[in-house]
Amino acid sequence: MFFLFAKILPPIEHAAKQMILFDFETGDVLLEDKADELMSPSSMTKIVTAMLIFTALKNKTLSEETEIIVPKYAYKAEGSTMFLNIDQRVKVMDLLRGIICISGNDACKTTLPKEVLSATVVCEDNPNIVGLSLIHI
C-alpha cells in the first residue's frame, strides 16, 4: 500500500544533482530525479580504490562475501558517507557499492587496511597506477 501512495506523491525538493529512493526489500523505485543521467565519479582516489577491490576479487585474494569491520577512523570520515558505524561488519560488495554509487568516504577508508587491500595488488596487477598514493584519503 505504501508503494502506491509513494507513487502519487509530488516530487520532493532537494539539493542533490540526482537522486533515487528505492525499497531495499522489493527493489521498487519509490522516488527518483534524473537517476538515469550519467554522472562522473567525484574522486580519483575512489576510482583507484574500486580498481584495487576489483583486482583483489579477480585474483581471489578477496571475496564478495568477506566482511570487514569498520574502524574508528573510517567512521569519522567527512563528506559523503554510507553512515557506517564503528565495529559494524560490512560485506566487500556493499562497500564497493558505497564507493561507486554514493562516493562513500567511510567505505573507502574501511577497505584500506593492509589485510583488505595489499600494496602488491597495485604493483603486480595494475602497472598503470603504480606510484599513486592512497594516504590522502
Side-chain angles (χ1 to χ4, degrees):
M1 186 59 93
F2 174 75
F3 178 73
L4 294 174
F5 182 70
K7 280 292 193 184
I8 61 172
L9 287 177
I12 62 170
E13 290 187 32
H14 58 86
K17 292 179 182 176
Q18 297 140 316
M19 69 156 230
I20 186 166
L21 174 66
F22 64 94
D23 183 304
F24 183 76
E25 292 181 8
T26 66
D28 293 332
V29 175
L30 303 176
L31 295 169
E32 68 178 284
D33 184 17
K34 302 178 190 157
D36 295 325
E37 287 185 12
L38 293 179
M39 182 175 94
S40 299
S42 58
S43 170
M44 180 58 80
T45 304
K46 291 175 185 135
I47 293 170
V48 171
T49 302
M51 286 176 62
L52 294 174
I53 295 170
F54 282 124
T55 300
L57 290 169
K58 178 182 174 187
N59 294 342
K60 301 201 185 310
T61 56
L62 195 60
S63 161
E64 294 178 4
E65 297 299 313
T66 300
E67 290 187 338
I68 302 171
I69 298 172
V70 177
K72 186 175 184 176
Y73 63 84
Y75 169 77
K76 291 183 174 185
E78 294 182 11
S80 56
T81 71
M82 289 180 62
F83 301 101
L84 299 174
N85 294 311
I86 298 171
D87 296 330
Q88 179 180 351
R89 293 180 170 274
V90 187
K91 290 183 181 179
V92 166
M93 286 307 291
D94 291 329
L95 291 169
L96 189 56
R97 286 182 190 103
I99 293 167
I100 294 170
C101 298
I102 63 168
S103 194
N105 293 325
D106 52 353
C108 269
K109 288 185 174 193
T110 298
T111 62
L112 288 178
K114 188 177 180 185
E115 315 81 74
V116 182
L117 293 178
S118 164
T120 58
V121 172
V122 176
C123 298
E124 295 173 6
D125 299 319
N126 292 304
N128 296 329
I129 57 176
V130 171
L132 289 180
S133 171
L134 299 179
I135 293 172
H136 73 278
I137 292 181

